Amino acid sequence: MHGLINKAIQSFVCSTYGKSRWIRVTEAANLGFVEYEAMLVYDNRVSRRVLDELCRELGRPQAELLEDLGTYLVSNPNTEALRRLLRFGGVTYVEFLHSLDDLPDRARLAVSDLDLPPLELREEQDGRFSLACHDGLPGYADVMMGILRAMADDYGALVILEHVGTGQDCEVIEITLIETAFAEGRKFDLGARAG
Amino acid sequence: MTGPGDLVTLLDRLCPMFALLDSDGRISRVGPTLQKLRPQTSFEGTAFLETFELLRPRSIVGVPELMACSGAKLHLRFRDAPRTALKGLIVPLPGNQGAVVNLSFGISILDAVRDYALTAADFAGTDLAIELLYLVETKSAAMEASRKLNLQLQGAKIAAEEQAFTDTLTGLKNRRAMDHVLKRLLTGATPFALMHLDLDYFKSVNDTLGHAAGDHVLQQVARIMVEETRGHDTIARIGGDEFVLVFNFLQDRERLDSIARRLIDRLEEPIDYNGEACRVSASIGTVLSSQFAAPEASKLLHAADLALYAAKRDGRATHRFYSRDLCLPQDDAQMRRGGGGAGTQPAGSVRLSANGPDIGGKKAP
């Protein structure tokens, strides 16, 4: 798994639960180091072990933890740059949803060995959408749930999200848009640069 | 400029990937760059929605919806290979005369320039496509350089760790360093004493209070050992809770015994960790280089190991010197060496565990 993904997990744990718990997890998982390098690629089994130990250490189910990770990626000031890149997707939440199809390609454009599985948005009737998160990255749909939820807050949209299960070769999230301008949302200026 | 010919001339220059549609949604003209993508295809007269698959918005199922969605962003792709993805914008012409669709590559531009051998001349002068390509190439080159540096640094770090003489947790010497020191002393025929110290009850600290507490204890133990020895003595951590102390020129048994006892006494004092008292003890075996006519590192380490083992058998918190009559009882030897023909093995082949003692099987009760 790419260092950026591993580093995201590390950053989430350190900032939410404290560095000492992260160190304990790395020890329990026999990681042999404490800091991931963002631009190196790690063996999937290593990332797997860390996630397993993390769930054990925190006593929380993996899906829940990964959804929190998704929320963290959008809402924490540490990862403001990522939130900005997601906001590049569009002026409204619906445009953002449509831009998700391009997300894996955009990620690859930025970091050529960052392989995100395809995302496919389907627009159904009456403000309903379904997002197919294709296989290839365990927990992908869980992280996306957190991202979608936090981005709705970011745009000030009111949405209902439901992880409706596993399809042929993907997991599907159903998104029901109740109101596009429910709250003010957070300010976004295309020209500003993330510090 | 009011005629359709003027419009085409204008579009050719301004947006060379346009498609001009009649009111039935058929293509009447395409721009030069769009034509370049399908040199063999005659677009004129074909239905736009049959040439291009409209991916979004999904609400558009036919020409009327298409014509009605002025200004909407379209996501399309060619129906035939290569199925290049395109972005589009549709603007109807006044008086129900059809519409203009302007196409662009969006993120597929990287593949497109390669697949269709496009040049700067194929893009409008105001199009940022070339700048984007430039940016991607420079970024990729810079990223590649940084990736190489990353891997190089990673390799250098691993090499440095392998060559290190220091145990990073305690700041003591490591096993490699100890091997070097012993070699130097033996080559110089310097007399010295070698102590093998093993912590007792360390595993239970680790198990009950966690690794962080264990690490703290090891650091305190290291500090005590440094305080209780002379500056030019060597203290090495050679396993999880195993230490070797080397005393240059020291052959005085009485002094060595008092150092060992003092060490044990101090190590038995409770060590505070976040309000918890961690209690450990130590067993020590000592050998003098002068006890061997031809001392070798492996022989000395083995001898110290035997003495340590005898100390453990005497009850913990004990210090023993090596003597010739110390040897491993057959059963215990089997245990210590994992059952591998202990009796016939030469003394020098017994190694101290580098990975920390296996409390369960290795030690005497």
Side-chain angles (χ1 to χ4, degrees), chain B residues 68-112:
Chain B
C69 70
S70 170
K73 255 192 247 172
L74 311 176
H75 290 253
L76 319 116
R77 68 175 172 213
F78 275 106
R79 287 191 185 271
D80 60 336
R83 304 184 73 184
T84 308
L86 297 165
K87 284 184 172 179
L89 186 69
I90 184 164
V91 180
L93 292 170
N96 199 23
Q97 288 187 55
V100 178
V101 182
N102 186 21
L103 297 171
S104 89
F105 291 108
I107 204 153
S108 67
I109 189 159
L110 298 174
D111 295 329

Side-chain angles (χ1 to χ4, degrees), chain B residues 7 19-26 28 63 66-68 90-101:
Chain B
L7 180 64
L20 192 60
L21 311 188
D22 64 19
S23 53
D24 297 330
R26 294 189 172 277
S28 55
V63 176
L66 179 66
M67 292 300 184
I90 184 164
V91 180
L93 292 170
N96 199 23
Q97 288 187 55
V100 178
V101 182

Side-chain angles (χ1 to χ4, degrees), chain A residues 2 27 37 39-40 42 89 95 98-99 101-102 105-106 108-113 121-123, chain B residues 56-59 73 75 87 107 110 132 136 139-140 143-144 146-147 150-151 154 157 211-212 215:
Chain A
H2 200 279
E27 281 174 358
E37 288 297 331
M39 284 302 149
L40 294 178
Y42 296 85
E95 277 190 21
H98 281 296
S99 76
D101 284 25
D102 284 341
D105 279 337
R106 286 186 170 178
R108 213 172 355 258
L109 191 65
V111 182
S112 57
D113 55 0
L121 187 86
R122 286 180 70 96
E123 193 171 354
Chain B
R56 292 199 306 265
R58 285 184 169 266
S59 54
K73 255 192 247 172
H75 290 253
K87 284 184 172 179
I107 204 153
L110 298 174
L132 178 74
V136 168
K139 184 231 51 156
S140 301
M143 196 87 144
E144 191 50 37
S146 133
R147 190 191 315 278
N150 259 329
L151 289 171
Q154 186 79 351
K157 191 175 148 208
H211 288 289
D215 287 353

Side-chain angles (χ1 to χ4, degrees), chain B residues 204-268:
Chain B
S204 82
V205 171
N206 245 345
D207 288 348
T208 54
L209 298 173
H211 288 289
D215 287 353
H216 177 73
V217 166
L218 289 174
Q219 284 163 345
Q220 296 312 307
V221 164
R223 184 178 54 75
I224 290 169
M225 286 195 279
V226 170
E227 285 170 7
E228 293 301 326
T229 53
R230 306 165 301 177
H232 57 271
D233 297 330
T234 301
I235 313 165
R237 177 168 172 245
I238 58 160
D241 58 355
E242 281 184 82
F243 301 84
V244 164
L245 297 87
V246 181
F247 300 90
N248 307 350
F249 296 106
L250 192 52
Q251 300 282 292
D252 179 342
R253 285 179 181 248
E254 227 167 278
R255 264 195 69 198
L256 284 164
D257 191 50
S258 91
I259 292 172
R261 299 211 172 278
R262 172 111 186 110
L263 272 171
I264 293 169
D265 285 347
R266 285 208 56 196
L267 293 176
E268 286 192 325

